[in-house]
Amino acid sequence: PQPLMQGKRGLIMGVANDRSLAWGIAKALHDQGAEMAFTYQGEALEKRVRPLAATIGAEHVLECDVTNAASIDSVFDTLGKAWGKIDFLVHAIGFSDKNELKGRYVDTSFDNFALTMNVSCYSFTAVMQRAEKLMTDGGSALTLTYYGAERVMPHYNVMGVAKAALEASVRYLAVDLGKKGIRVNAISAGPIKTLAASGIGDFRYILKWNELNAPLRRNVSIEQVGGAGLYLLSDLGSGVTGETHHVDSGYHAVGMVATDQSAQ
Ligand code: NAD
């Protein structure tokens, strides 16, 4: 059979290193024949992203800071000129001041609220405005979210509020772009140790909690996120849009974990 992503081209935004969720997705897409361009944020990460992108033969490795509209425009201009169209896009970008990813949500400052919303939520809409014009044969877009959007998780704070808005924006984007055959979905990933996650207070405890209490009794890997990403970005997911798909060892399904006592 033909590889699932043979002949498809797309943009991966949000690789920082080989532990990034975006890299797990890129590997799965590459294994199925996709051609990808990558963006990186700033020179320090460029040193990490370029060699990774080279391992899978990516030609376009472009700088992009999503707080800068001109920088987003320039990425899509480059791809428009080089490829004419794209088939898929991965948005794996989030940021908040780590001083506010601990303690109480109620203490969030306006400046960090606005910055977190801009980078972690609005940027997906901003890139879809540009991607729409290049997805001339339809397409599939994917963003990354977390269960802290749906329920209160310790320390996730303003990031949880931004992820709730991101998940709502997935539904609105799915409706707006559906007529053009563009699908828009999110993966809600369980906790994984990455650069971004290291900014969250007590992250190791959250990882342990998930491992002990999720139905599968283990944490998820970037390869498992990659598998689900491949499904949503390829034609396997052609009937799916506006969805937030949990890749979290089932944690979202649990209301209360049975102890030995309650199980009797
Ligand atoms: P990561 O640190 O590898 O990736 C985060 C990326 O965001 C980095 O590449 C960083 O450069 C980019 N970024 C931040 N601010 C930016 C800006 N202004 N412009 C452009 N890029 C910017 O960490 P990750 O965990 O792979 O994060 C990817 C996505 O997955 C994020 O949206 C995160 O919230 C989400 N997520 C992570 C977990 C987890 O436990 N790691 C769980 C669920 C969802």
Side-chain angles (χ1 to χ4, degrees), residues 13-23 39-42 45 49 64-68 71 91-96 115 119-120 123 143-147 156 159 163 166 187-198 200 203 207 222:
M13 308 182 78
V15 175
N17 54 44
D18 63 359
R19 306 215 285 199
S20 296
L21 274 53
W23 183 244
T39 63
Y40 60 87
Q41 179 206 12
L45 292 179
V49 179
C64 185
D65 185 324
V66 293
T67 61
N68 177 345
S71 150
H91 170 276
I93 290 173
F95 183 78
S96 185
L115 175 65
V119 176
S120 314
S123 69
T143 188
L144 274 302
T145 183
Y146 179 56
Y147 189 59
Y156 206 57
M159 200 58 157
K163 292 298 196 192
L166 177 68
I187 287 178
S188 183
I192 298 177
K193 201 165 179 287
T194 62
L195 197 61
S198 65
I200 301 166
F203 189 73
L207 266 180
I222 64 168

Side-chain angles (χ1 to χ4, degrees), residues 95-109 112 116 152-160 196-204 206:
F95 183 78
S96 185
D97 180 348
K98 70 177 182 351
N99 293 314
E100 297 195 1
L101 296 178
K102 61 185 181 195
R104 308 189 310 165
Y105 168 71
V106 70
D107 298 322
T108 304
S109 66
N112 186 47
T116 306
V152 174
M153 299 300 283
H155 310 297
Y156 206 57
N157 298 352
V158 62
M159 200 58 157
S198 65
I200 301 166
D202 273 343
F203 189 73
R204 269 190 302 184
I206 295 172

Side-chain angles (χ1 to χ4, degrees), residues 191 202-214 219:
D202 273 343
F203 189 73
R204 269 190 302 184
Y205 185 75
I206 295 172
L207 266 180
K208 200 70 199 166
W209 181 275
N210 204 74
E211 185 189 330
L212 294 174
N213 295 300
N219 281 314

Side-chain angles (χ1 to χ4, degrees), residues 16-255:
N17 54 44
D18 63 359
R19 306 215 285 199
S20 296
L21 274 53
W23 183 244
I25 297 168
K27 284 193 295 181
L29 295 170
H30 172 72
D31 287 348
Q32 291 294 325
E35 184 177 346
M36 284 165 278
F38 290 84
T39 63
Y40 60 87
Q41 179 206 12
E43 271 173 38
L45 292 179
E46 178 179 9
K47 293 195 185 74
R48 306 229 167 218
V49 179
R50 277 197 189 280
L52 279 176
T55 63
I56 60 174
E59 225 179 283
H60 302 282
V61 182
L62 309 163
E63 166 144 46
C64 185
D65 185 324
V66 293
T67 61
N68 177 345
S71 150
I72 307 177
D73 282 335
S74 131
V75 168
F76 285 88
D77 284 351
T78 304
L79 290 186
K81 283 184 190 123
W83 288 347
K85 60 162 230 169
I86 60 171
D87 304 295
F88 64 89
L89 180 138
V90 174
H91 170 276
I93 290 173
F95 183 78
S96 185
D97 180 348
K98 70 177 182 351
N99 293 314
E100 297 195 1
L101 296 178
K102 61 185 181 195
R104 308 189 310 165
Y105 168 71
V106 70
D107 298 322
T108 304
S109 66
F110 172 74
D111 284 352
N112 186 47
F113 186 96
L115 175 65
T116 306
M117 278 289 189
N118 186 13
V119 176
S120 314
C121 177
Y122 181 71
S123 69
F124 186 47
T125 298
V127 300
M128 290 313 296
Q129 285 171 3
R130 279 85 170 176
E132 176 187 6
K133 299 191 181 77
L134 290 186
M135 289 183 167
T136 46
D137 289 333
S140 181
L142 182 65
T143 188
L144 274 302
T145 183
Y146 179 56
Y147 189 59
E150 301 169 65
R151 296 287 183 267
V152 174
M153 299 300 283
H155 310 297
Y156 206 57
N157 298 352
V158 62
M159 200 58 157
V161 175
K163 292 298 196 192
L166 177 68
E167 291 179 15
S169 74
V170 164
R171 294 184 282 271
Y172 279 89
L173 291 166
V175 170
D176 286 347
L177 303 180
K179 299 171 204 78
K180 298 193 167 173
I182 300 171
R183 298 185 292 106
V184 184
N185 294 290
I187 287 178
S188 183
I192 298 177
K193 201 165 179 287
T194 62
L195 197 61
S198 65
I200 301 166
D202 273 343
F203 189 73
R204 269 190 302 184
Y205 185 75
I206 295 172
L207 266 180
K208 200 70 199 166
W209 181 275
N210 204 74
E211 185 189 330
L212 294 174
N213 295 300
L216 293 176
R217 297 288 190 270
R218 60 180 187 233
N219 281 314
V220 292
S221 64
I222 64 168
E223 287 74 22
Q224 289 170 327
V225 173
L230 173 64
Y231 148 67
L232 290 167
L233 292 167
S234 71
D235 288 344
L236 286 180
S238 60
V240 183
T241 195
E243 181 74 312
T244 295
H245 178 64
H246 295 86
V247 181
D248 64 350
S249 297
Y251 185 81
H252 70 285
V254 177

